[in-house]
Amino acid sequence: MSRKYKITAACAALILLFSAFFFFYQKQQEKQTEPVSVTGFKLNTMIKITVYDKINTELLEHAMALCDTYESLFSRTLSTSEIYKLNHGTLPEKNGFFEVSPETAELVRKGLYYAELSEGAFDLSLAPVSSLWDFTSEEKVIPEPDALKNALPLVDYKNITVEGNTIHFEKEGMGLDLGAIAKGYIADKIKEFLVSKGVKSGIINLGGNVLCIGSQPDGTPFKIGIQKPFSDRGETSITINVSDKSVVSSGIYERYFKKDGILYHHILNPKTGMPYKNGLVSVTILSDQSVDGDALSTSCFALGAKKGMELVESLENTEAVFITENGEFLYSSGFPVSDK
Ligand code: AMP
Ligand code: MG
């Protein structure tokens, strides 16, 4: 073999080696940003957590298990939960102050803040009234007028006191319903956990309560679709570009039933015990923390388009879109719509 031929062969071998190495390296890089997801039915809804970083799938399982941990604190209907026991007076108590976990005390404080901010349109003491309704079974239960009349005087957030990790009710028979705020709180806690483990890119979706971790792996914002009212889950009306934000909707299409041609939905007026009827079908809130977005989506729905929008405009880093029965979209001044 000539010297010239030997050099050419060596060069070709080197090029081949480099190409193989480059191909392998690229595949590894691709693998790192391939999404990893877990899904499940928890908190009475479909949960999906997706992470775009290379992580141990055990972390995702742990994130999923956090839903169970918090459900065992905040559920109104689970007979083993802390809130159920609080509502039924079976928690340890001293002078009428029931002992709760720091997490429950923290969430109740948040709920009281939003009850005050919405002047009671959002009221976490709704349990005596909301427990008379059932929007999940096929039963189509409308509460008896007498039952509602007895329950309504028990609903007033001003009669709740939180001191340290204890809760006191002014009236016997009062109880908490954290359904309008708990999923947001839980989403924030899951994000906190994943970020503490080094996750930089992901989406936490708790039945439409969406919380982004960072942006897409290539640095561009996530595209989040806003649910089209009364359509299949996944069908969207508009899409927004967001990074590191929470996108939470409250709508009459989420839990409802129809009886004698009337639609009864799950966002209730604490003054009447009946579903709000104010021309809105949904409110979506864009915020940094999901607990705020969750509380505000329910609060703004309850306040109606005019007062709800005024509230949103008065808050920092908070945007909203209200969808009306006539199909109108009402946007707050800084709402980032990509295809209006
Ligand atoms: P969301 O889907 O976040 O708007 O929450 C709705 C849930 O919050 C309902 O299923 C009830 O458990 C509870 N809820 C209903 N109406 C109200 C209200 N006016 N204030 C506070 N919580 C409410
Ligand atoms: Mg809510």
Side-chain angles (χ1 to χ4, degrees):
M1 199 188 286
S2 76
R3 191 178 140 75
K4 198 174 154 196
Y5 187 76
K6 266 189 200 161
I7 291 171
T8 315
C11 283
L14 261 174
I15 288 168
L16 242 153
L17 200 73
F18 270 120
S19 308
F21 177 75
F22 186 66
F23 179 76
F24 181 72
Y25 177 77
Q26 241 187 352
K27 281 280 152 209
Q28 280 301 105
Q29 288 293 95
E30 271 170 29
K31 243 192 205 166
Q32 286 204 346
T33 51
E34 252 172 41
V36 201
S37 292
V38 274
T39 53
F41 192 83
K42 289 179 188 294
L43 309 169
N44 231 345
T45 191
M46 277 312 293
I47 308 283
K48 185 172 184 183
I49 305 172
T50 307
V51 163
Y52 294 86
D53 300 88
K54 194 178 171 216
I55 58 157
N56 190 331
T57 47
E58 268 174 29
L59 285 184
L60 279 182
E61 297 302 333
H62 184 84
M64 223 26 179
L66 285 175
C67 293
D68 300 325
T69 307
Y70 288 113
E71 189 169 28
S72 73
L73 294 178
F74 306 144
S75 169
R76 181 181 62 77
T77 50
L78 204 68
S79 63
T80 49
S81 83
E82 193 168 71
I83 287 296
Y84 186 97
K85 289 178 191 162
L86 174 73
N87 290 353
H88 291 81
T90 58
L91 282 183
E93 169 232 5
K94 215 178 188 178
N95 303 326
F97 281 77
F98 292 96
E99 277 175 38
V100 295
S101 58
E103 292 84 353
T104 298
E106 184 188 10
L107 188 54
V108 170
R109 279 197 179 89
K110 267 276 177 199
L112 286 173
Y113 171 79
Y114 281 102
E116 199 67 57
L117 194 68
S118 67
E119 295 172 345
F122 168 97
D123 194 324
L124 69 165
S125 70
L126 196 70
V129 162
S130 54
S131 59
L132 299 175
W133 289 88
D134 185 353
F135 296 102
T136 40
S137 77
E138 296 292 303
E139 298 275 312
K140 303 189 176 185
V141 182
I142 300 167
E144 293 294 331
D146 272 357
L148 264 186
K149 213 174 114 202
N150 293 335
L152 282 169
L154 299 172
V155 178
D156 188 350
Y157 70 94
K158 289 185 178 139
N159 291 330
I160 304 168
T161 312
V162 192
E163 267 178 25
N165 294 333
T166 64
I167 292 176
H168 172 73
F169 294 138
E170 210 55 59
K171 292 185 182 174
E172 178 120 17
M174 285 180 67
L176 301 183
D177 180 342
L178 301 177
I181 191 170
K183 273 193 285 174
Y185 178 92
I186 298 168
D188 287 334
K189 293 292 174 189
I190 293 175
K191 176 168 173 175
E192 215 173 283
F193 166 72
L194 290 172
V195 168
S196 78
K197 297 295 175 191
V199 172
K200 294 198 169 46
S201 173
I203 293 186
I204 299 155
N205 186 339
L206 309 185
N209 250 64
V210 175
L211 180 60
C212 307
I213 304 174
S215 46
Q216 295 199 70
D218 64 3
T220 58
F222 284 112
K223 290 189 188 311
I224 306 294
I226 291 174
Q227 167 84 20
K228 197 170 184 178
F230 297 108
S231 302
D232 288 341
R233 278 244 175 252
E235 212 179 319
T236 56
S237 49
I238 52 166
T239 308
I240 54 175
N241 292 332
V242 285
S243 296
D244 218 32
K245 291 269 182 191
S246 155
V247 185
V248 178
S249 301
S250 281
I252 65 173
Y253 53 86
E254 281 175 346
R255 291 188 201 284
Y256 69 95
F257 61 78
K258 275 187 181 160
K259 198 167 180 180
D260 303 327
I262 299 172
L263 186 147
Y264 297 90
H265 64 83
H266 71 149
I267 306 174
L268 304 171
N269 183 340
K271 301 277 177 291
T272 62
M274 298 301 283
Y276 277 106
K277 189 151 177 40
N278 56 15
L280 289 177
V281 285
S282 77
V283 175
T284 300
I285 301 284
L286 191 57
S287 59
D288 291 335
Q289 302 279 312
S290 206
V291 67
D292 299 314
D294 199 359
L296 279 171
S297 64
T298 315
S299 299
C300 290
F301 188 99
L303 285 168
K306 190 169 177 292
K307 279 189 159 180
M309 196 58 95
E310 278 168 15
L311 176 59
V312 170
E313 295 290 10
S314 75
L315 301 170
E316 293 276 303
N317 299 326
T318 309
E319 301 298 336
V321 54
F322 292 55
I323 306 181
T324 71
E325 277 171 358
N326 306 330
E328 273 177 295
F329 286 63
L330 312 171
Y331 297 97
S332 63
S333 48
F335 197 85
V337 185
S338 23
D339 48 5
K340 260 189 201 178

